[in-house]
Amino acid sequence: RKSLRLTPSSRQLRTTGEVVNLMSTDCERLNGLFPYLHVTWSSPYQVILALFFLWNELRYSVLVSVAVIFVVMTPLTAVVAGRIKKIQKQLMKVKDARIRATGEAITSIKVIKLYGWERKF
């Protein structure tokens, strides 16, 4: 809806391909969010329950292992997230070019049909 409410001056800042690409990406992200939304409330309970059972079996070694996991996984997660962000930007550029080319092809087909430049059968 908001894409239809853009002013003409703001429409000139972005191509149609970019707008369609951004809208489709937003829809994909929303679609991917809902199946995992329950994880936000259930994960803390699962972690606490797992730590409780591990504490009953291993006692203080659980604290060491959790500390090691945090020390190793936090920087690793940051590196992976940075790479994913770079790849996502490259992917968006390729998608923009593809959508722009498709739009130009469709516009050209419309022009050919409109002016009757196609051959008769």
Side-chain angles (χ1 to χ4, degrees), residues 8-48:
S9 61
S10 61
R11 282 186 193 154
Q12 291 177 351
L13 297 176
R14 300 271 183 196
T15 64
T16 304
E18 290 174 332
V19 172
V20 169
N21 196 9
L22 289 170
M23 289 175 62
S24 68
T25 303
D26 289 346
C27 289
E28 286 176 21
R29 288 184 180 170
L30 279 176
N31 248 356
L33 169 73
F34 288 114
Y36 299 104
L37 197 58
H38 72 282
V39 173
T40 58
W41 65 267
S42 67
S43 290
Y45 293 119
Q46 290 177 2
V47 169
I48 289 169

Side-chain angles (χ1 to χ4, degrees), residues 42-107:
S42 67
S43 290
Y45 293 119
Q46 290 177 2
V47 169
I48 289 169
L49 194 62
L51 288 176
F52 172 74
F53 287 127
L54 284 171
W55 179 264
N56 286 338
E57 294 294 324
L58 303 172
R59 296 284 175 203
Y60 291 104
S61 59
V62 172
L63 298 176
V64 174
S65 63
V66 169
V68 168
I69 288 172
F70 278 122
V71 166
V72 171
M73 294 306 289
T74 302
L76 185 64
T77 303
V79 169
V80 170
R83 287 187 182 174
I84 288 174
K85 185 176 180 180
K86 287 179 186 176
I87 292 170
Q88 187 71 24
K89 283 185 180 180
Q90 292 171 351
L91 184 63
M92 290 294 278
K93 288 179 184 177
V94 171
K95 282 183 180 181
D96 288 341
R98 186 189 73 212
I99 291 174
R100 190 176 303 119
T102 305
E104 288 176 9
I106 290 173
T107 303

